[in-house]
């Protein structure tokens, strides 16, 4: 990784102190860093006490067979009891757990007492279908309450779930069903997206025709849209019939802290998807702790909303397990941000008085593109902490988020973590950290991360390299499902004794961490390593640019040439001379070496459903190659759109 192109992020000098009222009442203060540094394991043992254990653990970490960790190994607990029942027992049964907002505008408030009844019924139903402790259940659902209930019901009976994105194809679903050997699938007839019912069940039917998925015994189908669904008698069952007739009381059984909780597949760039395995006690400890610390959640008064999809790890950790373990009241929204209008999210914030909002940089940049006047039309004064996750957030988007959504007053927490880490790892604390837009800044209390060079030596402040995690953490992945060797090779072989995350990063003069994107995305231009994140960030700092995606395309002269795809703010047509102006702008921000050779204005960028730009596909376009696998794209049609805009011959210098 280079140091030469880091000028832009490093010259970002804006600083934002935490608001006095947040600091005064903060759940976690600066003292936490000291306590954790003094005795890291004791710090985590203390966090584990936020949970209700049937048998308290006496052991914190067993690291005798690294990197196979055991956390709280002799403790026993039930995750669903922790997320639901104990809040009812504490007298909070009437507190709303979930404010569901359907895309068509229907809504439903579910209290903790109701959630307890529905999770109990669903747990009975799964048992009736022969699902035993340890059996895997696949969940393929839209963003409806039953998705959360299904996950909690699995957790309640100790059956690890494998949630598959509702937008994934039948093939992707079949591969995941086969790898996990799931025998029951929970789905729905469909869900509402972009103003219309969108079918899900047919994809399940198709997936189950694949030989690998033929062992599925039952499909439990939630009726959401009421659309016609093909039906296989004997195999398919309606949720409202099968779950609806079960008893409303169910006694949760405690499981070992290391009992598998879920498998979640990450696609990565090559090879078959990796089934990331998370277990029970350590995972729940860290998601509950980080949600409490980083969002400063006050369960009695806050209304929390995470806009992620349930099929993404953010949905698992920060829609389901973290917030519910903490007894939060949260919003669950089914649809897209612009249905029926571009202000839908802000209308929801106003309607429910959302105080804590967690979303992705891509969404923030899309809102920037739609214009400042959209959020300005709503009362967003309830908001008090804003979070970001999924990609590096460039300083311009960070500042816009704080200004136009947070009313210039809220802390913004940029949280770095991965499916593999299970929970947040590097993030500011809203009541403590002097915030730097664009930087995730510091490992959370109890977390050890650093940036190293090619040889694994820690780099000096002011230098860049590879982000590594140097000590085990409670919510770490335990392995790749069925493939310990791949687990070792992928994460633990690049640097001896350390976890390698695959991300590039840089430490600034204060030692704060700035994420630079996946190392696979780093470009090599005339012998210089240049990070895509930084060129994108430089482009977005130009007032005309809302969003940018940069790739390195093979080039005979310079090894790779920088190609940028940009979305213009306000969607206005491209003025003459803009491309030249943008190239000059990047050159000024980062130096002439980082100047894109080609810049193309587009209407959309190819993104995964979790909001990450698929640079691989843009590289295919930039190199005039046939497109690779597009099945994980939100909208495969985007690629045709971009291709149709390509000039027949690339514009040269
Ligand atoms: C939670 C999640 C993980 C990858 C990760 C990194 C990128 C996530 C980030 C960030 C910079 C942040 N990433 N958060 N990069 N700043 N705050 O996104 O999990 O889908 O597994 O992706 O996302 O590249 O390695 P996952």
């Amino acid at each position: 990784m280079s140091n030469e192109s880091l000028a832009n992020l490093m010259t970002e000098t804006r600083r934002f102190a935490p608001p006095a009222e947040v600091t005064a009442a903060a759940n976690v203060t600066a003292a936490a860093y000291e306590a954790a540094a003094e005795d890291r394991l004791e710090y985590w043992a203390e966090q584990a006490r936020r949970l209700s254990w049937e048998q308290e653990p006496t052991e914190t970490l067993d690291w005798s067979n690294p990197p196979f960790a055991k956390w709280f190994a002799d403790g026993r607990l039930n995750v669903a009891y922790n997320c639901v029942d104990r809040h009812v027992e504490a007298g909070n049964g009437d507190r709303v757990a979930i404010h569901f907002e359907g895309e068509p505008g229907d809504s439903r408030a579910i209290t903790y007492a109701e959630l307890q009844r529905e999770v109990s019924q669903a747990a009975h139903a799964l048992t009736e279908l022969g699902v035993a402790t340890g059996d895997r259940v696949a969940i393929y659902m839209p963003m409806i309450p039953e998705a959360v209930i299904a996950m909690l019901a699995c957790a309640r009976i100790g059956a690890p779930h494998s949630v598959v994105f509702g937008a994934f194809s039948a093939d992707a679903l079949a591969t995941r069903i086969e790898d996990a050997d799931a025998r029951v699938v929970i789905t729905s007839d469909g869900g509402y997206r972009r103003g219309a019912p969108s079918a899900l069940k047919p994809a399940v039917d198709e997936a189950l025709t694949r030989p690998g998925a033929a062992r599925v015994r039952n499909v439990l189908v939630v009726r959401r849209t009421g659309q016609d669904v093909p039906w296989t008698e004997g195999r398919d069952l309606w949720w409202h019939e099968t779950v609806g007739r079960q008893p409303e009381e169910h006694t949760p059984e405690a499981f070992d802290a290391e009992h598998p909780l879920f498998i979640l597949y990450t696609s990565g760039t090559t090879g078959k998807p990796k089934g990331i395995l998370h277990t029970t006690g350590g995972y729940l400890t860290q998601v509950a702790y980080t949600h409490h610390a980083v969002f400063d959640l006050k369960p009695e008064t806050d209304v929390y909303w995470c806009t992620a999809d349930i099929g993404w790890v953010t949905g698992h950790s920060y829609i389901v397990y973290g917030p519910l373990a903490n007894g939060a009241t949260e919003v669950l929204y089914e649809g897209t941000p612009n249905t029926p209008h571009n202000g839908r999210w802000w209308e929801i914030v106003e309607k429910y008085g959302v105080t804590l909002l967690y979303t992705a940089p891509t969404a923030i940049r899309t809102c920037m593109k739609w214009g400042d006047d959209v959020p300005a039309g709503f009362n967003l004064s309830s908001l008090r902490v804003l979070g970001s996750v999924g990609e590096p957030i460039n300083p311009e988007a960070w500042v816009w988020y704080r200004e136009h959504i947070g009313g210039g007053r809220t802390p913004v927490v940029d949280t770095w973590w991965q499916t593999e880490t299970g929970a947040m790892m590097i993030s500011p604390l809203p009541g403590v950290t002097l915030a730097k837009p664009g930087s995730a800044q510091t490992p959370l209390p109890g977390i050890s991360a650093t940036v190293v060079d090619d040889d694994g030596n820690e780099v000096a402040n002011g230098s860049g390299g590879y982000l590594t995690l140097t000590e085990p953490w409670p919510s770490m992945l335990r392995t790749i499902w069925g493939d310990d060797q791949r687990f070792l090779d992928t994460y633990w072989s690049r640097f001896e004794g350390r976890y390698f995350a695959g991300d590039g990063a840089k430490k600034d003069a204060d030692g704060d961490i700035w994420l630079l994107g996946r190392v696979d995305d780093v470009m090599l231009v005339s012998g210089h390593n240049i990070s895509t994140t930084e060129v994108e960030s430089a482009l977005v700092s130009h007032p005309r640019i809302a969003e940018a995606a940069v790739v390195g395309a093979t080039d005979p002269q310079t090894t790779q040439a920088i190609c940028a795809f940009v979305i213009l703010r306000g969607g206005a047509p491209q003025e003459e001379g803009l491309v030249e102006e943008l190239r000059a702008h990047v050159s000024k921000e980062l130096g002439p070496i980082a100047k894109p050779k080609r810049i193309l204005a587009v209407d959309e960028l190819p993104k995964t459903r979790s909001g990450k730009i698929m640079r691989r596909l843009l590289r295919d376009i930039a190199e005039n190659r046939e497109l690779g696998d597009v099945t994980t794209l939100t909208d495969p049609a985007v690629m045709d759109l971009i291709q149709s805009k390509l000039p027949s011959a690339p514009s040269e210098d």
Side-chain angles (χ1 to χ4, degrees):
M1 295 285 294
S2 70
N3 294 333
E4 49 257 345
S5 74
L6 300 166
N8 162 262
L9 287 177
M10 294 307 117
T11 52
E12 170 56 58
T13 53
R14 287 168 286 190
R15 298 289 178 268
F16 297 88
E21 65 279 11
V22 177
T23 304
N27 285 350
V28 175
T29 67
Y33 293 106
E34 285 159 42
E38 206 157 284
D39 190 341
R40 192 174 63 86
L41 293 182
E42 178 44 39
Y43 189 76
W44 283 119
E46 197 182 311
Q47 302 319 318
R49 286 177 212 123
R50 324 179 150 272
L51 307 181
S52 304
W53 297 80
E54 196 202 68
Q55 190 179 303
E56 296 263 345
T58 61
E59 207 177 286
T60 302
L61 170 67
D62 175 354
W63 193 234
S64 56
N65 180 28
F68 298 95
K70 290 184 183 152
W71 282 86
F72 313 115
D74 62 344
R76 288 174 68 79
L77 75 168
N78 183 287
V79 168
Y81 174 81
N82 273 275
C83 292
V84 184
D85 307 54
R86 65 168 175 160
H87 306 311
V88 179
E89 286 171 15
N92 295 318
D94 291 338
R95 181 186 296 165
V96 172
I98 297 172
H99 283 294
F100 171 66
E101 177 80 11
E103 199 191 71
D106 57 322
S107 63
R108 186 183 159 200
I110 303 170
T111 64
Y112 274 97
E114 286 163 334
L115 191 61
Q116 184 183 32
R117 287 195 287 275
E118 297 207 20
V119 170
S120 295
Q121 289 186 306
H124 280 299
L126 290 175
T127 304
E128 188 180 288
L129 296 180
V131 179
T133 302
D135 290 352
R136 277 80 58 201
V137 174
I139 298 178
Y140 184 68
M141 300 269 263
M143 289 283 290
I144 55 176
E146 287 81 0
V148 179
I149 292 165
M151 290 164 76
L152 291 168
C154 288
R156 196 172 185 95
I157 61 168
H161 55 67
S162 161
V163 181
V164 180
F165 269 147
F168 276 180
S169 65
D171 274 327
L173 176 60
T175 316
R176 287 159 177 77
I177 289 174
E178 180 179 2
D179 189 75
D181 193 18
R183 304 299 172 86
V184 169
V185 180
I186 307 178
T187 188
S188 73
D189 50 358
Y192 291 96
R193 270 199 99 66
R194 300 184 201 288
S198 156
L200 268 184
K201 172 76 167 38
V204 177
D205 293 327
E206 198 187 324
L208 298 191
T209 63
R210 307 284 191 276
R215 276 142 62 107
V216 169
R217 289 188 308 262
N218 289 111
V219 180
L220 199 49
V221 189
V222 175
R223 189 187 278 158
R224 165 65 183 143
T225 58
Q227 62 200 126
D228 280 341
V229 284
W231 206 254
T232 303
E233 281 307 329
R235 184 196 71 186
D236 299 348
L237 301 160
W238 283 114
W239 171 285
H240 58 267
E241 289 171 5
T242 308
V243 175
R245 62 176 156 73
Q246 303 294 334
E248 293 183 345
E249 274 170 33
H250 179 274
T251 311
E253 182 191 336
F255 300 104
D256 287 348
E258 284 297 339
H259 186 77
L261 179 62
F262 66 82
I263 304 167
L264 183 59
Y265 288 87
T266 63
S267 23
T269 40
T270 49
K272 74 169 191 168
K274 301 189 282 281
I276 303 300
L277 176 70
H278 283 288
T279 59
T280 298
Y283 172 81
L284 198 63
T285 297
Q286 194 173 330
V287 295
Y289 166 70
T290 49
H291 186 255
H292 161 87
V294 174
F295 280 105
D296 192 41
L297 174 85
K298 313 283 194 253
E300 300 78 19
T301 48
D302 276 319
V303 178
Y304 165 80
W305 181 22
C306 168
T307 67
D309 193 282
I310 214 101
W312 181 30
V313 72
T314 304
H316 285 56
S317 301
Y318 298 105
I319 293 177
V320 183
Y321 296 112
L324 296 178
N326 290 337
T329 294
E330 64 177 333
V331 171
L332 183 75
Y333 173 56
E334 179 183 31
T336 49
N338 53 347
T339 307
H341 56 79
N342 288 354
R344 184 67 190 272
W345 275 12
W346 317 123
E347 189 176 76
I348 293 172
V349 168
E350 181 178 299
K351 174 173 174 184
Y352 294 104
V354 172
T355 59
L356 314 173
L357 179 68
Y358 198 20
T359 192
T362 173
I364 299 163
R365 289 187 295 254
T366 301
C367 292
M368 286 171 77
K369 175 179 77 177
W370 289 339
D372 305 351
D373 52 321
V374 178
F378 298 89
N379 180 359
L380 307 180
S381 62
S382 55
L383 289 167
R384 65 179 200 93
V385 179
L386 304 178
S388 171
V389 59
E391 283 191 300
I393 177 165
N394 49 289
E396 238 30 71
W398 192 108
V399 170
W400 186 91
Y401 192 27
R402 184 178 186 278
E403 195 57 38
H404 294 276
I405 307 303
R409 103 197 144 257
T410 59
V412 173
V413 285
D414 173 11
T415 63
W416 178 89
W417 58 293
Q418 307 178 297
T419 304
E420 292 86 342
T421 71
M424 297 170 187
M425 301 294 283
I426 306 176
S427 168
L429 287 175
V432 179
T433 314
L434 177 67
K436 297 177 178 175
S439 172
Q441 298 190 260
T442 355
L444 287 166
I447 299 299
S448 313
T450 194
V451 181
V452 300
D453 63 19
D454 271 310
D455 302 322
N457 301 313
E458 189 163 344
V459 303
N461 285 356
S463 301
Y466 306 93
L467 180 68
T468 60
L469 303 171
T470 53
E471 298 287 351
W473 62 101
S475 64
M476 64 197 285
L477 76 164
R478 296 305 195 261
T479 189
I480 292 174
W481 183 254
D483 201 343
D484 287 348
Q485 191 56 47
R486 193 174 178 200
F487 168 64
L488 294 168
D489 295 343
T490 310
Y491 305 108
W492 300 93
S493 66
R494 178 71 179 79
F495 300 106
E496 178 74 34
R498 294 171 167 213
Y499 173 89
F500 175 44
D503 283 346
K506 148 110 191 182
K507 287 200 294 181
D508 68 14
D510 304 323
D512 281 340
I513 296 173
W514 298 69
L515 275 305
L516 298 176
R518 305 295 296 167
V519 290
D520 306 341
D521 289 334
V522 171
M523 302 173 289
L524 184 63
V525 184
S526 307
H528 300 263
N529 284 315
I530 297 175
S531 104
T532 52
T533 302
E534 286 189 291
V535 180
E536 287 161 6
S537 187
L539 283 164
V540 179
S541 74
H542 186 279
R544 288 287 287 125
I545 303 302
E547 187 151 24
V550 165
V551 296
T554 308
D555 184 276
Q557 276 100 45
T558 57
T559 315
Q560 285 189 316
I562 302 178
C563 296
F565 297 79
V566 298
I567 297 180
L568 302 180
R569 274 215 207 195
Q574 182 177 337
E575 55 270 28
E576 221 177 294
L578 180 63
V579 166
E580 263 326 299
E581 191 182 317
L582 289 171
R583 297 176 79 237
H585 177 73
V586 175
S587 179
K588 182 172 124 272
E589 294 279 313
L590 293 175
I593 187 75
K595 193 163 69 172
K597 185 163 184 184
R598 292 162 65 187
I599 298 182
L600 190 68
V602 294
D603 299 324
E604 295 285 350
L605 290 169
K607 285 178 195 156
T608 65
R609 183 102 189 255
S610 67
K612 294 190 211 310
I613 296 168
M614 292 187 77
R615 292 188 185 73
R616 174 172 61 78
L617 293 179
L618 292 173
R619 249 187 323 262
D620 289 345
I621 285 199
E623 294 178 348
N624 296 317
R625 250 199 319 274
E626 191 132 324
L627 284 186
D629 181 16
V630 296
T631 51
T632 56
L633 272 183
T634 2
D635 178 7
V638 166
M639 296 314 293
D640 300 334
L641 232 125
I642 295 177
Q643 263 170 333
S644 70
K645 281 217 162 191
L646 268 186
S648 41
S651 63
E652 292 300 327
D653 275 10

